[in-house]
Amino acid sequence: QTILCLPRSFEYSQKNAVLVPAAALGVGGMLVFWLRSRHKIKTIEMGDGWWGSGERPLKGKEDESIRPFKIEASDKEIEDLHRRLEQARYTPPLEGAAFHYGFNSNYLRKVVAYWRNQFDWRKQVEVLNKYPHFRTTIEGIDIHFIHVKPSYVPHGRAVQPLLMVHGWPGSFYEFYKIIPLLTEPSRHGLNEGDVVFEVICPSIPGYGFSEAPHQKGFDTIATARIFHKLMNRLGFKQYYVQGGDWGSRITTNMAQMLPQSVKGLHVNLVFVNKQGLRRMISVMLGAYVPWLVGLTREDVRRTYPFMQKNIYDLLRESGYLHIQATKPDTAGCGLNDSPVGLAAYILEKFSTWTDKSFLHKDDGGLESKYSLDELLTNVMIYWVTSSIVSSMRFYKENFSKDPNLTAHARVGVYVPTGIAAFPQEIVHTPRIWAKQNFKNIITYTYMPRGGHFAAFEEPKLLAQDIIHFVRKVEQL
């Protein structure tokens, strides 16, 4: 009987010899797949869109040509502007109000007098046209951009394409002072020429010379997709992206959408949606034992007292946001009809977003950082294009959903990231908080001075930080 059982036990052991490794291989394979799927980078779906008027044409390919564009000034628009400026009505400010109630109308009279009698729009149009402008049609609307290449590239140096995106109430003009520092850094003493850029600055659709979307739902994700298509159309497979304000959100979405195309992301404003218990504990303990929750001394200085800096100051500065995120067309139609109202609405942001202490100044501190020519040129870009309403609608399109449910909040950023934290920014985001969204922070810089409009206000500081970041990424 023992002899008869031997062949059976041999047969059974042979089966085991095959089944056990096969089972182990199967379980191991499933484990590897699970681990890989856990670490697989989630991305925002690229999708597609149509923002032109009416239905998308069924036949015919979109015109992908890139057309040179020139800004022009006409006698008719200047005469109309002057007539409206001359007929402006003012309400006297409260005594000692400075900028606490918004734009001080005594100072507004001075701004309007300069605008009417000294500001030369034709001269400023020449300044705007000093860089090459283009337009191209993407998803049914015309996209405006400037594209500046370096005049000289040292032998053996690679030119890095850099897309820079503005926000509200700014424009592509914000980048005019930083462009020469990036395209010709060695001429401005910024480096030895090891990092050189060609810079592309588009106008967000609905802002300035980019056509406004004709359909509802145009948000930062749609903008990110359009700007990827723009860079692709210009022949770039990989590129760096940079932004502040809406530009930060748009370029972040670009990194989330096509991480293989974005070599690096640099922002000077960080959007972090996640709150939760971890953040609450961080806020509660941060003022007393910052090292325990990963905050630095500088984080503490910029973040506390927390209620004052993150609740009250934010509420004071965000009334416009509630209007624009709900009924933008109502307030917008008044601003589109009155250049004086438009200037007050826009320039008030260039006061307190540049430095919170400017609230206490009768002139809002505006001319301590910018010239009136610079400020009014930005206002004129909105005025001559009638784009204030469409620019305000961008808020409604982006705040119409629960922010925690958006793809932007659910997808991490894995591309190399550089963060420039300016001390006068509307809100400060410590590195430890930023890491919840941005998984690969290469540089995080506490900037010594400057506020919300970094490229416009502190172009050299921002250029230095971008160059420092890109140099590090290129060495990876």
Side-chain angles (χ1 to χ4, degrees), residues 44 224 228 241-243 246-258 262 265-267 269-271 408 411-413 415 417 437-438:
I44 292 175
H228 271 308
V241 294
Q242 199 283 331
W246 280 127
S248 167
R249 175 79 171 254
I250 292 163
T251 52
T252 298
N253 289 164
M254 291 178 76
Q256 293 168 313
M257 189 178 283
L258 292 178
V262 177
L265 164 70
H266 187 281
V267 293
L269 175 63
V270 174
F271 289 94
H408 170 84
V411 176
V413 180
V415 305
T417 302
N437 285 52
F438 300 87

Side-chain angles (χ1 to χ4, degrees), residues 9-22:
S9 69
F10 177 71
E11 193 180 320
Y12 182 71
S13 65
Q14 268 193 320
K15 276 183 184 173
N16 274 358
V18 174
L19 287 172
V20 171

Side-chain angles (χ1 to χ4, degrees), residues 84 323-324 327-342 345 382-383 386-393:
R84 290 169 187 263
I323 292 169
Q324 294 177 192
K327 306 284 182 69
D329 288 32
T330 305
C333 64
L335 301 177
N336 194 46
D337 189 58
S338 166
V340 177
L342 181 68
Y345 195 74
Y382 282 87
W383 177 254
S386 290
S387 60
I388 188 62
V389 177
S390 50
S391 75
M392 290 163 73
R393 286 175 186 157

Side-chain angles (χ1 to χ4, degrees), residues 125-146:
V125 163
E126 285 178 27
V127 171
L128 290 173
N129 283 328
K130 76 175 179 178
Y131 295 130
H133 292 248
F134 303 91
R135 286 177 98 179
T136 188
T137 307
I138 304 176
E139 297 188 5
I141 52 175
D142 285 344
I143 306 301
H144 160 262
F145 63 99
I146 56 174

Side-chain angles (χ1 to χ4, degrees), residues 158-448:
V159 178
Q160 303 294 344
L162 174 65
L163 180 87
M164 302 190 80
V165 185
H166 65 88
W168 186 92
S171 63
F172 66 93
Y173 177 60
E174 280 180 73
F175 300 115
Y176 268 50
K177 288 185 274 189
I178 199 172
I179 285 170
L181 308 183
L182 296 169
T183 55
E184 300 171 316
S186 54
R187 186 180 285 187
H188 296 88
L190 286 175
N191 66 13
E192 295 71 47
D194 59 329
V195 177
V196 181
F197 298 94
E198 59 179 295
V199 179
I200 300 93
C201 300
S203 295
I204 298 169
Y207 288 67
F209 299 98
S210 275
E211 187 178 351
H214 298 266
Q215 313 293 332
K216 291 187 290 184
F218 187 86
D219 58 10
T220 57
I221 291 172
T223 314
R225 181 179 64 244
I226 281 178
F227 288 171
H228 271 308
K229 289 182 178 182
L230 171 65
M231 293 302 276
N232 190 254
R233 196 170 288 185
L234 291 171
F236 301 116
K237 297 287 179 273
Q238 286 191 308
Y239 31 88
Y240 287 92
V241 294
Q242 199 283 331
D245 196 87
W246 280 127
S248 167
R249 175 79 171 254
I250 292 163
T251 52
T252 298
N253 289 164
M254 291 178 76
Q256 293 168 313
M257 189 178 283
L258 292 178
Q260 68 273 26
S261 295
V262 177
K263 289 180 80 175
L265 164 70
H266 187 281
V267 293
N268 51 277
L269 175 63
V270 174
F271 289 94
V272 178
N273 291 326
K274 292 175 186 172
Q275 302 299 329
L277 183 63
R278 192 169 156 192
R279 174 71 60 82
M280 196 188 298
I281 292 167
S282 179
V283 168
M284 288 169 67
L285 298 179
Y288 308 102
V289 280
W291 48 269
L292 193 63
V293 289
L295 299 183
T296 66
R297 281 184 183 178
E298 186 61 20
D299 290 329
V300 172
R301 200 177 68 78
R302 296 186 184 193
T303 307
Y304 297 91
F306 188 82
M307 290 298 288
Q308 181 63 49
K309 292 189 174 179
N310 296 272
I311 306 296
Y312 301 132
D313 286 358
L314 212 55
L315 281 172
R316 186 191 66 218
E317 293 302 329
S318 59
Y320 80 98
L321 189 151
H322 192 79
I323 292 169
Q324 294 177 192
T326 52
K327 306 284 182 69
D329 288 32
T330 305
C333 64
L335 301 177
N336 194 46
D337 189 58
S338 166
V340 177
L342 181 68
Y345 195 74
I346 287 177
L347 296 186
E348 183 244 304
K349 304 306 177 200
F350 279 88
S351 167
T352 47
W353 291 2
T354 295
D355 192 316
K356 297 174 190 75
S357 71
F358 287 174
L359 269 176
H360 310 298
K361 300 192 172 192
D362 290 339
D363 63 355
L366 279 166
E367 291 175 76
S368 61
K369 291 283 187 171
Y370 318 102
S371 72
L372 282 180
D373 279 345
E374 289 170 346
L375 292 168
L376 289 170
T377 296
N378 183 65
V379 173
M380 284 295 288
I381 289 168
Y382 282 87
W383 177 254
V384 300
T385 58
S386 290
S387 60
I388 188 62
V389 177
S390 50
S391 75
M392 290 163 73
R393 286 175 186 157
F394 203 51
Y395 284 77
K396 184 168 178 68
E397 306 297 12
N398 283 290
F399 287 106
S400 59
K401 308 178 198 83
D402 180 343
N404 294 313
L405 300 177
T406 61
H408 170 84
R410 288 184 283 108
V411 176
V413 180
Y414 293 88
V415 305
T417 302
I419 297 170
F422 284 85
Q424 289 294 331
E425 186 52 270
I426 298 164
V427 68
H428 175 66
T429 304
R431 181 178 188 144
I432 192 77
W433 296 357
K435 278 170 74 175
Q436 288 179 261
N437 285 52
F438 300 87
K439 312 296 185 184
N440 189 8
I441 298 173
I442 303 297
T443 62
Y444 182 102
T445 313
Y446 295 102
M447 306 304 280

